Amino acid sequence: MDIDALILAAGKGTRMPSPRPKVLQTLLGETMLALVTSTLHAMPRIKGIFTMVGCEAAMVSAEADAVASRLGRKAYCIEQKEQKGTGHALMTAMPHLEGEGRLLVINGDAPLITAEVLERFLDGAEGADVAFLSLELEDAASYGRVVRKEGSVQAIVEAKDFDPAIYGPKEDAHEVNTGIYLFSLPAVRKLLPKLGNSNKSGEYYITDLVSLGLEAGMDVRGIKAEGSGCDGNALLGVNNPVELAAAEELLQARRNAAILASGVVMHGLSGIRISPLATIEPGAEIYGPCEICGSSVIRSGARIRSHCVIRDAVINGGVEMREFCHIEGAEVRSGAIVGPYARLRPQSLVDEKAHVGNFVELKKTYLGKGSKANHFTYLGDTEVGPGVNFGAGTITCNYDGKNKFKTIVGADCFIGSNTSLVAPVTIGDGALIGAGSVIVDDVPAGKMALGRGRQVVKDRKS
Ligand code: UD1
Ligand code: CA
């Protein structure tokens, strides 16, 4: 049977001092919300993904929408206006959840969780009314403790409410709640009205559904996490900057190990940061430090030198990306050379064997096959045919303060150094522009244009 998922992401995260709510903190360039959502998206059993929003609801909803559209699905956000606890979040969600099916609930601050671990948990929770995933920890710190009697789960007791007189020494409690639950909806409907908030925090705890379920004679299971995907503290919540840094390192190590094993050559491994959403094909070569973010694709045979930042870009095979490039929302085709120090902005396309050199910026620009812009150049809203050479310091003047205009440069043109092309303007195939020109009118194919003051030579005054 299909399962819906609910991500709890309404809390403020008071232990994470930041103007952003906690679930919008990033690891390898991706928000915790994006990581959890894309993990759930990768699970065929999961049908709808609902997100509880509350603190900075508009910001979190906007990210939920952005993530969903990137994954090609719809976001469903439910607002929890006052954050009265994880149990209260579930109460707020229930009117939006129909039917007799099951609900996977996951804390939004568990960014390292994998689909594999969740799938194993769902298998173990098959048929249960209430199930949760637990983990053995040397130091259970501030996590909810799982209390068992002769192996059977009795309750989850929050650290604050843990009374050693009742439960025994705190140091002996090693099994913790990971904040991942599977509920049958009919069971939750029965139990939620009984949920109270008489505890140290005055909050409604989702974890109390465990003891309430047992009291009601339901099938309640605490399933211990084991096996792959449970490395380090991979199942734990990220509540403060220390935990965020540790989680990010763990994710980086896990990610790099998988990419290496798949057949990507990586130099300076510890400095290579690759988003979990990016695709790196076997046969690519990457030098650290560098960052490959978002849904970038680095194809087999591409070489990325150090200090590059690549976001949502496609780098094809045979591309040589030299040091210190910034690439965002652009594509570079086979055999092209980019950098050092190049900047490709969104909607730019560098075609096969083209060259983009140092201190060259392209915005919404197509650079044709084999064309070269090698030094100090800005091309914006420009279409360039094949075989064009731009001299150093070519600038397209694409903006008049109000509107943007296009520049079109035909095949095999030669644009002299320090030329301004004032858009809208078209340079016909094979035209030549003299160095230092300001070109305001179209130049027909095959012609030479000069737009500059004539040089005068005079005698020097003695
Ligand atoms: C929770 C669990 C604890 C478990 C730990 C695992 C409870 C009561 N305790 O504690 O047993 O060991 O997670 O990481 O659930 N949230 C809402 N609405 C609210 C409050 C919180 O949506 O009203 C969201 C938060 O944004 C967060 C998640 O729920 O993503 C968990 O809340 P948090 O305050 O971090 O719970 P913990 O104290 O870590
Ligand atoms: Ca937490």
Side-chain angles (χ1 to χ4, degrees):
M1 212 203 299
D2 285 336
I3 301 170
D4 282 332
L6 177 68
I7 303 173
L8 302 184
K12 184 173 178 313
T14 39
R15 291 163 277 178
M16 186 81 81
S18 161
R20 272 178 296 156
K22 185 170 68 173
V23 292
L24 298 189
Q25 295 293 339
T26 60
L27 296 85
L28 302 181
E30 301 298 337
T31 61
M32 294 204 228
L33 184 60
L35 293 170
V36 174
T37 308
S38 42
T39 299
L40 293 170
H41 172 76
M43 297 169 63
R45 273 192 270 189
I46 302 295
K47 201 171 43 137
I49 301 177
F50 295 83
T51 306
M52 286 314 296
V53 300
C55 170
E56 299 290 356
M59 260 165 116
V60 178
S61 301
E63 171 68 355
D65 283 340
V67 171
S69 80
R70 203 157 66 173
L71 298 170
R73 61 185 300 147
K74 204 173 161 347
Y76 300 95
C77 292
I78 302 170
E79 190 169 354
Q80 185 193 10
K81 286 211 164 67
E82 276 179 280
Q83 292 81 55
K84 298 187 199 162
T86 47
H88 179 256
L90 187 59
M91 289 178 199
T92 312
M94 284 314 282
H96 301 264
L97 302 166
E98 291 160 358
E100 311 296 296
R102 288 173 304 158
L103 181 70
L104 173 68
V105 179
I106 175 165
N107 284 353
D109 64 358
L112 297 189
I113 189 72
T114 65
E116 191 189 2
V117 169
L118 288 175
E119 294 283 4
R120 275 205 304 270
F121 167 63
L122 292 182
D123 289 342
E126 189 67 52
D129 295 305
V130 173
F132 62 92
L133 185 66
S134 74
L135 185 72
E136 292 280 346
L137 276 189
E138 198 51 49
D139 174 11
S142 62
Y143 294 98
R145 265 73 163 174
V146 179
V147 176
R148 291 185 188 259
K149 199 168 170 187
E150 286 153 17
S152 300
V153 171
Q154 303 294 300
I156 298 173
V157 181
E158 291 307 303
K160 276 184 196 164
D161 304 298
F162 194 94
D163 182 351
I166 305 172
Y167 305 111
K170 223 173 177 177
E171 312 75 64
D172 292 354
H174 294 295
E175 188 183 358
V176 303
N177 167 33
T178 62
I180 292 164
Y181 317 86
L182 186 74
F183 298 109
S184 94
L185 287 174
V188 174
R189 287 193 193 103
K190 258 189 227 148
L191 298 177
L192 276 180
K194 300 181 191 168
L195 199 62
N197 64 347
S198 45
N199 51 51
K200 287 264 164 61
S201 313
E203 287 188 354
Y204 295 89
Y205 294 158
I206 198 169
T207 45
D208 284 347
L209 293 178
V210 168
S211 48
L212 288 174
L214 288 166
E215 278 165 30
M218 291 180 176
D219 179 347
V220 178
R221 297 180 207 167
I223 297 170
K224 288 188 192 172
E226 283 158 335
S228 65
C230 304
D231 49 326
N233 291 336
L235 297 179
L236 295 182
V238 169
N239 299 294
N240 56 44
V242 175
E243 287 170 356
L244 180 65
E248 190 170 26
E249 256 182 49
L250 209 66
L251 187 63
Q252 183 189 8
R254 184 201 277 176
R255 184 83 180 110
N256 284 357
I259 294 169
L260 262 182
S262 77
V264 174
V265 177
M266 296 161 92
H267 310 269
L269 199 61
S270 62
I272 300 180
R273 295 159 49 83
I274 298 175
S275 158
L277 307 187
T279 305
I280 317 293
E281 290 184 359
E285 185 171 4
I286 298 174
Y287 288 73
C290 73
E291 259 183 70
I292 301 175
C293 319
S295 43
S296 293
V297 179
I298 313 293
R299 296 211 190 281
S300 184
R303 180 148 62 178
I304 313 294
R305 299 282 187 178
S306 68
H307 299 93
C308 289
V309 179
I310 299 173
R311 178 177 292 279
D312 297 322
V314 178
I315 312 299
N316 288 290
V319 169
E320 170 82 6
M321 173 100 30
R322 294 184 174 155
E323 290 80 359
F324 293 98
C325 290
H326 283 226
I327 315 292
E328 183 173 1
E331 178 176 348
V332 183
R333 293 211 170 132
S334 169
I337 301 175
V338 177
Y341 298 101
R343 180 172 183 211
L344 304 183
R345 290 168 55 198
Q347 296 179 54
S348 291
L349 172 58
V350 175
D351 214 333
E352 290 169 22
K353 297 192 173 136
H355 293 188
V356 179
N358 44 277
F359 307 107
V360 173
E361 173 180 343
L362 265 51
K363 188 219 82 172
K364 229 176 174 182
T365 284
Y366 168 73
L367 189 63
K369 286 185 185 172
S371 286
K372 294 176 184 169
N374 268 330
H375 334 266
F376 313 110
T377 286
Y378 171 63
L379 302 175
D381 305 294
T382 302
E383 251 175 64
V384 180
V388 172
N389 188 83
F390 289 95
T394 300
I395 305 290
T396 53
C397 311
N398 58 329
Y399 184 52
D400 66 1
K402 280 196 190 124
N403 296 303
K404 300 268 166 70
F405 298 97
K406 276 192 85 162
T407 300
I408 295 173
V409 180
D412 303 314
C413 289
F414 185 95
I415 312 294
S417 294
N418 199 26
T419 290
S420 300
L421 299 167
V422 183
V425 70
T426 297
I427 314 297
D429 291 351
L432 183 149
I433 310 293
S437 291
V438 177
I439 299 295
V440 293
D441 295 321
D442 291 353
V443 178
K447 299 289 185 186
M448 184 185 84
L450 279 175
R452 63 185 188 219
R454 184 174 281 278
Q455 180 176 331
V456 288
V457 178
K458 291 183 179 174
D459 288 337
R460 288 181 68 175
K461 282 185 186 134
S462 52

